[in-house]
Amino acid sequence: MSGAATGPGARRAARAIDALRRGWTFRVADRFGGLDLIAVESARDADLAAFGSSDMLISGERAVTLKLTNQRAAAAPGPVRLAGAADSVAAALAIADPALDLAHPLKGPFRTVDTGGEEAAAAAMVLARHAGLLPAFFVRSGAVAGPAETECTADDVAALLDPARLHIAARARLPVEASETAEIVAFRSPEEASDHVALVIGKRDGHPPVVRLHSECLTGDVLGSLKCDCGPQLHAALHAMADAPWGVLLYLRQEGRGIGLVNKLRAYALQDQGFDTVDANLRLGFPVEARDFAIAGRMLELLNVPRIRLMTNNPEKVARLEKEGVEVVERIPLALLTNPHNAQYLATKRDRTGHQL
């Protein structure tokens, strides 16, 4: 068992996430001074009055939905600052939360201004995603503001995401339906609450194992949701590993393709309005793919598994793992039956995200 150093930068970023969820003011500093921020979703009107700014910072994806960027900017959208956009939390939520778009169809006109710090703005969006909140903030320029309750930098956020911080925390035998001799290995990062796990099935035989990257899906894995294919994929992969000489399931705590459970449920609500999974994520203000595959690469490194046979229908996973130094010697498809509730979801994966079904 090994340990990982807890750097001060990562700790500052973790405190910023905590402040964000609590509705506290926090600062993301950069070479221009930085930005003072309060997350719209956790803010209160009394906090906003004390904050003294009605500017908003929203993600580039949400700005594209609101038609606030031109086509050139939409190709690689960055955060957008809206001057005097909202003088109350309710007004800000009407801009930030796409679930309220039907109730508040007319927005603006908005005046966009310089963010006041592009690096700080981009780092704030990463913090929002890791906190599981909407990527929207009340903002003021930190160079001229008073002290924030918590401060971090863009480099601190990068340190928080460094996969080298991941280490093996515990391991134990875990008999499961697919294999009574399976071993579970837990991985932990010092400043984060979510622990990733690997399930090792079978015995090493000198050949690359069958590996499946499975992102946590509470609704599919535990509750048996029919809206996705996550639960059936999980169990089919485990049985395929049991039939192979050996295999490794990497269970990544990255719910909803990395946007968190609450935001995934918001995306579900948007799907009920007719949006597919891709457009739902974009309307929420998130990238289509927000998962961190470097974590999987680090887990395989700690398990001493440099070469794998990857079970996936997503060629992007192959490319991402190879970028992390993992040799993928074979891609193994995973075919499952559809149902009336997930047929459109699977068609979107095929047509818009390149899955080979």
Side-chain angles (χ1 to χ4, degrees), residues 7 20 32 80 86 88 109 129 159-160 169 187 225 245 304 346 350:
L20 191 158
F32 302 106
V80 173
S88 70
R129 188 168 72 247
L160 183 71
F187 301 80
S225 168
N304 193 25
L346 294 173
R350 178 195 64 211

Side-chain angles (χ1 to χ4, degrees), residues 11 29 36 91 108 123 140 156 163 175 227 243 260-261 300 308 341 343 357:
R11 290 198 296 269
D36 287 344
R140 67 188 180 195
D156 294 339
K227 286 179 67 70
D243 293 337
L261 176 61
L300 290 171
I308 66 172
H341 301 280
L357 304 182

Side-chain angles (χ1 to χ4, degrees), residues 6 52 96 100 123 185-186 254 269 286 300 323:
T6 61
L100 303 175
V185 185
Q254 301 188 77
F286 295 107
L300 290 171
K323 183 179 178 182

Side-chain angles (χ1 to χ4, degrees), residues 185-201:
V185 185
F187 301 80
R188 174 171 290 167
S189 294
E191 296 83 17
E192 293 191 274
S194 296
D195 300 326
H196 307 280
V197 299
L199 192 67
V200 181
I201 292 178

Side-chain angles (χ1 to χ4, degrees), residues 19-193:
L20 191 158
R21 291 179 65 95
R22 293 172 183 269
W24 295 344
T25 302
F26 71 98
R27 176 177 298 170
V28 182
D30 63 15
R31 53 185 171 169
F32 302 106
L35 302 174
D36 287 344
L37 302 155
I38 305 177
V40 166
E41 187 175 343
S42 54
R44 296 172 292 272
D45 283 328
D47 300 323
L48 180 57
F51 190 63
S53 173
S54 57
D55 285 9
M56 281 184 65
L57 185 72
I58 61 174
S59 72
E61 290 83 1
R62 183 61 178 158
V64 170
T65 297
L66 297 176
K67 304 292 191 292
L68 297 178
T69 58
N70 59 34
Q71 291 183 348
R72 181 178 179 183
V80 173
R81 181 168 178 167
L82 311 177
D87 57 3
S88 70
V89 172
L93 283 172
I95 297 168
D97 189 348
L100 303 175
D101 284 349
L102 292 180
H104 302 276
L106 300 178
K107 295 179 172 63
F110 298 112
R111 182 169 65 91
T112 60
V113 295
D114 185 80
T115 60
E118 292 184 6
E119 292 180 359
M125 297 302 156
V126 174
L127 292 172
R129 188 168 72 247
H130 278 259
L133 300 178
L134 291 168
F137 302 89
F138 295 107
V139 58
R140 67 188 180 195
S141 297
V144 296
E149 296 180 33
T150 303
E151 178 172 314
C152 70
T153 68
D155 288 341
D156 294 339
V157 176
L160 183 71
L161 304 182
D162 183 0
R165 294 167 45 258
L166 202 69
H167 65 279
I168 293 176
R171 58 200 312 160
R173 186 178 68 88
L174 183 68
V176 296
E177 181 188 2
S179 171
E180 295 184 2
T181 61
E183 179 190 31
I184 189 168
V185 185
F187 301 80
R188 174 171 290 167
S189 294
E191 296 83 17
E192 293 191 274

